[in-house]
Amino acid sequence: MTAAGPVGVLAIDKPVGPTSHDVVGMARRGLRTRRVGHTGTLDPFASGLLLLCVGPATRLSSHLTDLEKEYVAEALLGTRTDSHDLDGTVLEVVPDVEVSAASVEAALAALAGEQMQVPPAFSAKKVKGEAAHRRARRGEEVELPPVPVVVHEIECLEVEGLRVSFRVRCSSGTYIRAIARDLGEALGVGAHLTALRRTAVGGFSVDDALGVDALDAVPPSAWITPADAVRRAGLSWFEVGEGASAELAQGRVIPLGELRGSESATTAALEAGRLLALGEVTERGFQPRKVFVGS
């Protein structure tokens, strides 16, 4: 995209099979750059939207990772696994399970809202500096403290036998595997996740995503500019006047223009559709914290 290399955000439709890190590796090889990062892990059995930040846009990663997510998922009732998904070891199979569609819908509806969710033991959560899943795979007993999450929307799509399909829109950090687990516990029969597809991240949709095969030759139209990514992320932003880029490059405070976007803690300074800096609003004006000018 530039003489210094590609810069921007790519929306990728990750297939079932590869890890998120595998997709990053594909992007590094296809784009011929090491500066690539993703903004939210998808398990190998999961598919869907994976946002890749490339070049200086990697400095946007934390702001995109924190966006709310939307998924379509499938759970199997009557079987519990240690990982709460189909890749885990079966712990229990409940015989002669009988549940009504109405009871499933009610149990899912009860999982909406703010809550304290216990993360799966097979997760990347750290326990004394080590990922919990490493300890769990060694057979250690792992007990993780509950964390606050928000399930903004949850909808039952279909109940077919013991298989339940549902859609969920939730805060970053919410484990859909844990939702399947909690659904099974609420129904008294156990459950685990058998399929997962991420359909949206904030204002980004999987409908606009590229397949991994396109990473060898990404069309220019597929690149999401850092400025557009800021807008889709819902960050507050404003346009600066001529000469502001030099001030920002020196880390100097500049007067604010007309703010747009949400009331986010982070604000972006744009110039003619180009992202110059991320920072915060102070009494003196805009204080840059991450400067993209000259990156």
Side-chain angles (χ1 to χ4, degrees), residues 109-240:
L111 295 175
E114 298 181 7
Q115 57 193 269
M116 298 298 291
Q117 184 186 71
V118 177
F122 286 81
S123 69
K125 294 286 186 181
K126 294 296 178 65
V127 178
K128 296 181 179 179
E130 185 179 20
H133 66 82
R134 296 185 185 278
R135 292 176 175 269
R137 289 194 175 93
R138 291 200 299 265
E140 297 180 23
E141 186 173 341
V142 177
E143 291 188 11
L144 296 172
V147 296
V149 301
V150 183
V151 176
H152 299 287
E153 296 178 18
I154 190 163
E155 174 190 9
C156 183
L157 300 177
E158 184 179 32
V159 179
E160 184 176 356
L162 299 181
R163 296 193 177 275
V164 178
S165 299
F166 60 96
R167 181 186 67 84
V168 59
R169 183 171 64 86
C170 55
S171 62
S172 176
T174 305
Y175 283 90
I176 311 304
R177 287 182 284 146
I179 290 179
R181 173 201 65 201
D182 294 345
L183 171 64
E185 290 181 358
L187 294 170
V189 298
H192 70 280
L193 199 67
T194 55
L196 182 65
R197 181 164 175 78
R198 184 189 288 160
T199 55
V201 175
F204 303 84
S205 171
V206 74
D207 293 338
D208 303 320
L210 297 171
V212 292
D213 293 343
L215 286 170
D216 288 332
V218 177
S221 60
W223 285 95
I224 301 166
T225 67
D228 190 20
V230 160
R231 298 187 189 98
R232 294 197 198 188
L235 299 183
S236 295
W237 58 274
F238 69 102
E239 289 279 353
V240 301

Side-chain angles (χ1 to χ4, degrees), residues 30-44:
L31 302 173
R32 295 176 177 81
T33 179
R34 295 293 303 169
R35 206 170 175 188
V36 181
H38 69 75
T39 63
T41 302
L42 282 172
D43 290 326

Side-chain angles (χ1 to χ4, degrees), residues 20-149:
S20 298
H21 185 69
D22 290 337
V23 176
V24 169
M26 296 175 196
R28 286 173 175 165
R29 291 188 295 273
L31 302 173
R32 295 176 177 81
T33 179
R34 295 293 303 169
R35 206 170 175 188
V36 181
H38 69 75
T39 63
T41 302
L42 282 172
D43 290 326
F45 78 89
S47 68
L49 184 58
L50 188 68
L51 297 179
L52 300 183
C53 293
V54 184
T58 53
R59 305 181 75 192
L60 291 172
S61 294
S62 62
H63 303 286
L64 302 184
T65 300
D66 291 341
L67 296 176
E68 66 181 36
K69 316 277 194 305
E70 184 172 297
Y71 301 88
V72 173
E74 181 186 87
L76 179 65
L77 303 178
T79 303
R80 293 175 52 243
T81 71
D82 57 359
S83 62
H84 314 319
D85 62 35
L86 75 172
D87 287 334
T89 299
V90 174
L91 300 177
E92 179 187 23
V93 177
V94 177
D96 304 322
V97 173
E98 292 186 11
V99 292
S100 66
S103 64
V104 171
E105 291 172 3
L108 280 173
L111 295 175
E114 298 181 7
Q115 57 193 269
M116 298 298 291
Q117 184 186 71
V118 177
F122 286 81
S123 69
K125 294 286 186 181
K126 294 296 178 65
V127 178
K128 296 181 179 179
E130 185 179 20
H133 66 82
R134 296 185 185 278
R135 292 176 175 269
R137 289 194 175 93
R138 291 200 299 265
E140 297 180 23
E141 186 173 341
V142 177
E143 291 188 11
L144 296 172
V147 296
V149 301

